[in-house]
Amino acid sequence: NAGVTQTPKFRVLKTGQSMTLLCAQDMNHEYMYWYRQDPGMGLRLIHYSVGEGTTAKGEVPDGYNVSRLKKQNFLLGLESAAPSQTSVYFCASSYLDSVDEQFFGPGTRLTVL
Amino acid sequence: KQEVTQIPAALSVPEGENLVLNCSFTDSAIYNLQWFRQDPGKGLTSLLLIQSSQREQTSGRLNASLDKSSGRSTLYIAASQPGDSATYLCAVIPGNTGKLIFGQGTTLQVKP
């Protein structure tokens, strides 16, 4: 099993550009999450999904959109990137929500100039 | 609002020493607590998961305890090794939400 994978690993954008981050898991997990990690702020939840076709807002959802068209994939979109979105983005998944451990991907380092 | 605090922020110890990392949370109504390890520039690796009904979990040289009533968890690392050098993160799931709330982490350096 590959576990949780993320593409791309690195990306540099100019302000106003758009992009999509892809997260894939092969563990048949129902729940998937997107976090961002910033120095001094720790990891914060952006959006999450409790199953195929569902999405919900987390702690810091503004400026991001997500989609879960297939159970194994969770996409994070930035429609108009801003320098404040420079961060490391992590995807995670779990079989159930509150009782199961979350498994994390390797992260995507995004810089917005 | 649930807040998670980890003390100390950084720790340096000689190889072979036993050590304890601390995690505290403000609301005792949690479903579980998870300890992670993060190496520089890498993702998070799950170390231990403690359900709210449990008091501790063990994996190899690692032992994590949970005291919900006092809002505390500790991660005990026995016979530390240079390979244990990393940032250790504590996270809780408050209530039935599935959303992890993270502490800032403790960066551990084990010197040979």
Side-chain angles (χ1 to χ4, degrees):
Chain A
N1 287 352
V4 180
T5 58
Q6 293 182 232
T7 54
K9 290 184 170 56
F10 303 93
R11 186 72 186 268
V12 179
L13 290 178
K14 294 181 180 179
T15 297
Q17 287 185 319
S18 63
M19 78 162 295
T20 299
L21 283 66
L22 172 64
C23 175
Q25 52 92 8
D26 60 2
M27 297 175 283
N28 199 35
H29 284 173
E30 291 293 334
Y31 294 80
M32 297 187 74
Y33 313 84
W34 276 107
Y35 295 87
R36 60 178 289 175
Q37 185 176 35
D38 303 289
M41 302 294 290
L43 280 111
R44 294 176 293 169
L45 182 66
I46 305 171
H47 284 281
Y48 64 103
S49 168
V50 301
E52 181 179 320
T54 74
T55 62
K57 294 180 179 180
E59 184 184 358
V60 287
D62 294 342
Y64 306 95
N65 57 75
V66 288
S67 64
R68 183 100 180 267
L69 299 179
K70 294 182 179 180
K71 184 177 183 178
Q72 63 268 33
N73 296 336
F74 195 27
L75 279 63
L76 178 71
L78 286 74
E79 290 188 347
S80 180
S84 61
Q85 294 178 304
T86 294
S87 186
V88 181
Y89 292 86
F90 289 102
C91 176
S93 71
S94 64
Y95 185 62
L96 294 175
D97 56 355
S98 301
V99 299
D100 281 346
E101 63 185 310
Q102 291 189 18
F103 295 88
F104 280 71
T108 295
R109 186 173 296 275
L110 175 66
T111 301
V112 182
L113 303 176
Chain B
K1 179 182 176 183
Q2 178 73 268
E3 292 184 357
V4 181
T5 303
Q6 292 185 246
I7 296 173
L11 182 63
S12 180
V13 300
E15 182 177 3
E17 193 163 297
N18 302 326
L19 58 101
V20 174
L21 306 181
N22 297 297
C23 172
S24 61
F25 44 96
T26 54
D27 188 343
S28 62
I30 64 169
Y31 258 58
N32 67 41
L33 183 145
Q34 199 167 350
W35 282 94
F36 294 89
R37 168 187 173 136
Q38 185 175 29
D39 293 289
K42 303 293 185 182
L44 281 68
T45 301
S46 177
L47 297 174
L48 289 164
L49 172 73
I50 309 178
Q51 303 291 353
S52 61
S53 58
Q54 297 174 322
R55 294 297 295 256
E56 65 177 338
Q57 283 284 345
T58 298
S59 176
R61 294 183 294 108
L62 305 179
N63 175 277
S65 68
L66 174 64
D67 184 343
K68 275 184 57 177
S69 60
S70 66
R72 293 183 181 181
S73 176
T74 61
L75 179 66
Y76 175 82
I77 302 177
S80 58
Q81 303 171 356
D84 295 330
S85 299
T87 296
Y88 291 81
L89 295 162
C90 163
V92 301
I93 291 185
N96 188 18
T97 66
K99 307 169 194 176
L100 283 170
I101 306 294
F102 282 86
Q104 296 282 344
T106 294
T107 298
L108 172 66
Q109 182 184 31
V110 181
K111 297 180 178 179

